[in-house]
């Protein structure tokens, strides 16, 4: 996990060094900049695999790479496709570069993991991003130079406009862009399972494998444990693999998450850590939260605040943390989805929600953890997990009146978890942590109705953005202090669960 920055068709290393200055939080373990005849690559490193040998940018046979992410099957790919080559390191970075030189751009289809990387090879530039967009990548054009970086802020002084590099896509300077991943080629109307019980067995097996992959590390690994269903499942499966595991929870005094997390940690026997924060602390850290988040979406900011405290807490003890991100999008966990009463409508909504994750919850997770040099991993969003969930008959995910959402997922692990966890209703992270309404109260005190009305009209006319409430204006006003509106609004995601 790292930060990357680079440029194509320039040899200006000073420009890349300035960009990296805004990404040092993503990689506290090292930094490097190397120029070739056609471009410059820069990298800030968070060392997770091959701590001594994985320094970047990395060179092989005249090609150069900078890479952000983790490839969970890199050793399998190395043994299968590179067995005749002598590698210098045990890093996934070197495997990526050699696979590119050996197999060409199509090698991206073989990768299991989360990634955004750039390769300079002679006159050519190659860029790629993981299927769901767990790892960020942004582009900008200045004169005849193509710039790219892990965060918008790194490009803010370099360009007037920034665009998101699409998930599931690779780009080659000679061959153009190619979408290599598509999870929605049409879904089986009758599902691939004859019974719900078969589906539940498959869910358990796929998630067990997904967690196993994400325990790959040469550093300590922990779990974000809110006491909700999703994080409890991840913690359960991680504990089955590791003798000792550390779990982390945050919330305001008396929050439901803290109590539920304590119960789950005791049930699993983990070393459990928690942090209790106040409204004053929330207000104090909000500018930092929004600076790192690069969004003013209200639902995203609300959940980013507890995530910020969680990342800070976890960074004291681990460098890798597993979370339950993505389960609600796969198994219809949000309350607003109850209004979708037909299988077709629900399935369509789940697909949209998953497509937007790279601009909503995944953006929050990446930015908050990376603000403290922690790598967040998301087992539910393993491509096999996504494929399984979207192949299931959507009617199995519809919530009956009075029934908790995600019953299919709850029932899959009902025999392995305490009943209080299995039956606990879905809550947004910000609600469970006790912070959901606190910042909205601050916003009401800060902006009068006339100011809100003026800004709402202006934002609609300028950006076709409907400002939902004063809370959103509070966050936007805070973000505009560090990033210009022209870079924020075109790329800002809008959470569907607001």
């Amino acid at each position: 996990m790292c930060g990357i920055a680079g440029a194509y068709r320039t040899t200006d290393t000073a420009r890349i060094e300035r960009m990296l200055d805004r990404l040092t939080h993503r990689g506290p373990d090292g930094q490097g900049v190397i120029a070739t005849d056609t471009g410059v690559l820069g990298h800030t490193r968070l060392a997770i695999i091959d701590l001594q040998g994985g320094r970047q940018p990395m060179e092989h046979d005249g090609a150069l790479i900078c890479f952000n992410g983790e490839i969970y099957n890199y050793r399998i790919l190395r043994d299968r496709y590179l067995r005749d080559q002598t590698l210098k390191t045990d890093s996934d970075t070197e495997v990526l570069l050699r696979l590119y030189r050996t197999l060409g751009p199509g090698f991206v289809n073989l990768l299991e993991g989360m990634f955004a990387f750039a390769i300079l090879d002679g006159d050519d530039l190659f860029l790629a991003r993981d299927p769901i967009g767990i790892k960020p990548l942004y582009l900008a054009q200045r004169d005849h130079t193509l710039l790219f970086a892990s965060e918008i802020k790194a490009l803010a002084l370099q360009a007037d406009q920034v665009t998101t590099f699409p998930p599931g896509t690779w780009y080659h300077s000679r061959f153009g862009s190619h979408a290599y991943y598509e999870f929605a080629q049409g879904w089986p109307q009758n599902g691939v399972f004859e019974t719900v019980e078969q589906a539940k067995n498959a869910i358990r097996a796929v998630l067990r494998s997904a967690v196993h992959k994400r325990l790959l590390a040469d550093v300590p690994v922990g779990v974000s444990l809110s006491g909700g269903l999703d994080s409890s499942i991840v913690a359960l499966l991680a504990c089955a693999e590791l003798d000792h595991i550390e779990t982390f929870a945050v919330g305001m005094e008396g929050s439901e998450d803290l109590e539920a997390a304590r119960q789950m940690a005791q049930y699993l026997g983990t070393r459990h850590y928690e942090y209790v924060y106040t409204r004053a602390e929330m207000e104090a850290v909000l500018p930092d939260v929004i600076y790192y988040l690069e969004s003013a979406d209200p639902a995203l900011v609300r959940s980013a605040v507890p995530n910020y405290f969680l990342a800070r807490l976890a960074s004291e003890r681990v460098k890798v943390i597993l979370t339950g991100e993505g389960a609600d999008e796969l198994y219809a966990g949000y309350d607003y989805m109850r209004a979708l009463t037909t299988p077709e409508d629900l399935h369509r909504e789940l697909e949209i929600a998953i497509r937007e994750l790279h601009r909503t919850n995944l953006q929050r997770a990446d930015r908050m953890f990376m603000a403290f040099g922690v790598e967040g991993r998301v087992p539910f969003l393993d491509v096999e997990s996504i494929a399984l969930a979207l192949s299931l008959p959507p009617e199995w995910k519809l919530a009956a009146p009075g029934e908790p959402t995600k019953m299919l997922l709850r029932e899959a692990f009902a025999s392995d978890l305490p009943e209080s966890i299995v039956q606990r209703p879905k809550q947004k992270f910000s609600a469970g942590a006790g912070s959901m309404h606190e910042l909205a109260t601050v916003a009401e005190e800060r902006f009068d109705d006339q100011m809100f009305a003026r800004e709402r009209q202006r934002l609609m006319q300028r950006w076709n953005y409907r400002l939902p409430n004063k809370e959103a204006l509070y966050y936007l006003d805070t973000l505009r202090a560090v990033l210009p509106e022209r870079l924020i609004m075109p790329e800002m995601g809008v959470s569907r669960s607001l």
Side-chain angles (χ1 to χ4, degrees):
M1 188 70 66
C2 310
I4 66 173
Y8 182 55
R9 298 303 183 194
T10 183
T11 57
D12 185 356
T13 58
R15 174 184 290 183
I16 305 307
E17 288 170 353
R18 290 193 296 271
M19 292 167 65
L20 286 182
D21 286 343
R22 293 196 165 192
L23 298 175
T24 53
H25 55 279
R26 297 186 67 92
D29 298 328
Q31 183 169 317
V33 177
I34 298 179
T36 72
D37 292 340
T38 55
V40 185
L41 297 185
H43 187 266
T44 61
R45 187 185 186 208
L46 178 65
I48 303 295
I49 299 291
D50 192 0
L51 306 187
Q52 298 302 316
R55 294 182 181 86
Q56 299 187 48
M58 185 178 290
E59 187 272 340
H60 167 64
D61 194 23
L64 193 68
I65 185 172
C66 63
F67 163 53
N68 171 30
E70 299 292 345
I71 307 301
Y72 304 123
N73 65 335
Y74 82 97
R75 288 171 178 158
I76 295 173
L77 296 176
R78 179 190 62 195
D79 294 342
R80 182 176 301 167
Y81 296 102
L82 306 176
R83 58 182 176 272
D84 296 331
Q85 300 184 31
T86 302
L87 277 67
K88 300 176 182 177
T89 72
D90 186 37
S91 69
D92 48 359
T93 306
E94 185 179 3
V95 170
L96 283 178
L97 186 53
R98 287 174 178 264
L99 285 173
Y100 169 78
R101 293 301 300 272
T102 302
L103 301 177
F107 87 95
V108 175
N109 292 281
L110 303 173
L111 304 179
E112 294 182 16
M114 52 183 184
F115 53 86
F117 62 87
I119 295 174
L120 286 172
D121 184 15
D123 290 334
D124 297 327
L125 170 69
F126 182 73
L127 300 171
R129 192 177 181 194
D130 66 71
I132 303 299
I134 301 169
K135 291 293 99 194
L137 185 61
Y138 296 95
L139 306 178
Q141 194 80 31
R142 185 166 180 175
D143 300 325
H144 299 292
T145 299
L146 177 65
L147 303 165
F148 47 90
S150 296
E151 297 184 11
I152 295 172
K153 61 179 67 66
L155 297 164
L157 299 177
Q158 307 293 331
D160 295 327
Q161 186 177 2
V162 171
T163 59
T164 301
F165 189 88
T169 300
W170 59 256
Y171 164 81
H172 193 283
S173 51
R174 279 189 289 132
F175 308 133
S177 293
H178 177 76
Y180 69 87
Y181 174 79
E182 179 55 70
F183 61 74
Q185 299 287 356
W187 49 283
Q189 296 293 323
N190 299 317
V192 295
F193 299 99
E194 295 181 0
T195 68
V196 172
E197 195 59 37
Q198 289 176 337
K200 290 189 290 188
N201 290 335
I203 291 169
R204 287 194 293 270
V206 163
L207 290 177
R208 188 179 301 114
S209 173
V211 168
H212 171 77
K213 294 176 193 175
R214 285 155 182 81
L215 296 176
L216 173 71
D218 295 332
V219 295
V221 179
V223 176
S224 167
L225 181 61
S226 69
L229 176 70
D230 311 332
S231 65
S232 296
I233 289 172
V234 173
L236 171 79
L237 295 174
C239 284
E241 297 259 354
L242 300 177
D243 293 334
H244 302 286
I245 199 157
E246 296 176 312
T247 52
F248 303 90
V250 298
M252 300 184 75
E253 188 67 46
S255 68
E256 294 182 23
D257 276 6
L258 286 176
E259 179 57 33
R262 289 173 198 144
Q263 294 176 8
M264 189 63 199
Q266 184 177 13
Y267 175 80
L268 293 174
T270 69
R271 291 192 293 269
H272 188 62
Y273 304 91
E274 63 181 42
Y275 182 77
V276 180
Y277 55 84
T278 65
R279 171 174 165 173
E281 286 181 285
M282 290 169 58
E283 288 188 65
V285 304
L286 186 65
D288 280 348
V289 169
I290 290 178
Y291 171 76
Y292 290 117
L293 182 63
E294 300 186 326
S295 175
D297 177 62
L300 209 57
V301 175
R302 286 180 202 147
S303 58
V305 171
N307 245 136
Y308 178 92
F309 290 118
L310 177 73
R312 189 175 71 182
L313 174 66
S315 70
E316 298 171 359
R317 292 176 173 84
V318 300
K319 271 192 169 185
V320 173
I321 192 164
L322 276 59
T323 80
E325 206 70 70
D328 292 313
E329 288 78 10
L330 296 180
Y331 292 98
Y334 294 115
D335 279 339
Y336 84 92
M337 292 177 176
R338 292 178 180 274
L340 304 170
T341 56
T342 70
E344 294 81 6
D345 287 344
L346 178 60
H347 187 86
R348 189 177 303 111
E349 178 61 26
L350 295 178
E351 285 188 352
I352 294 171
I354 295 168
R355 289 185 189 282
E356 287 298 304
L357 273 172
H358 73 284
R359 298 197 300 175
T360 55
N361 290 357
L362 285 175
Q363 182 171 334
R364 175 206 68 213
D366 173 82
R367 302 301 203 280
M368 293 305 102
F369 286 126
M370 291 309 299
F372 292 95
V374 176
E375 176 174 294
R377 298 180 178 179
V378 285
F380 276 99
L381 294 176
D382 184 277
V383 290
E384 292 299 322
S385 174
I386 295 171
L388 169 63
L390 291 180
S391 74
L392 299 173
E395 55 266 28
W396 292 358
K397 302 176 187 178
L398 291 169
E403 178 181 77
T405 59
K406 293 186 293 193
M407 281 305 297
L408 188 61
L409 187 60
R410 294 175 192 276
E411 291 174 358
F413 290 91
S415 62
D416 302 306
L417 297 171
E419 185 176 359
S420 60
I421 299 296
V422 174
Q423 297 301 325
R424 188 184 178 198
K426 162 66 185 175
Q427 284 189 305
K428 294 180 180 179
F429 186 23
S430 54
S435 58
M436 186 170 183
H437 303 295
E438 294 292 330
L439 292 171
T441 301
V442 176
E444 286 293 332
E445 298 167 354
R446 179 167 296 202
F447 301 105
D448 60 37
D449 293 343
Q450 288 183 329
M451 180 181 292
F452 173 72
R454 286 195 304 269
E455 274 296 276
R456 192 179 202 188
Q457 181 180 20
R458 186 186 68 81
L459 290 166
M460 177 58 72
Q461 291 174 346
R462 178 68 180 87
W463 302 108
N464 195 31
Y465 173 70
R466 182 184 177 276
L467 191 68
N469 49 39
K470 291 180 183 178
E471 183 186 1
L473 179 57
Y474 178 27
Y475 303 150
L476 182 58
D477 198 50
T478 304
L479 183 54
R480 286 186 300 210
V482 293
L483 283 177
E485 226 178 61
R486 70 179 188 277
L487 300 184
I488 300 166
M489 303 308 298
E491 298 302 318
M492 190 171 76
V494 177
S495 297
R496 303 174 71 81
S497 60
L498 182 62

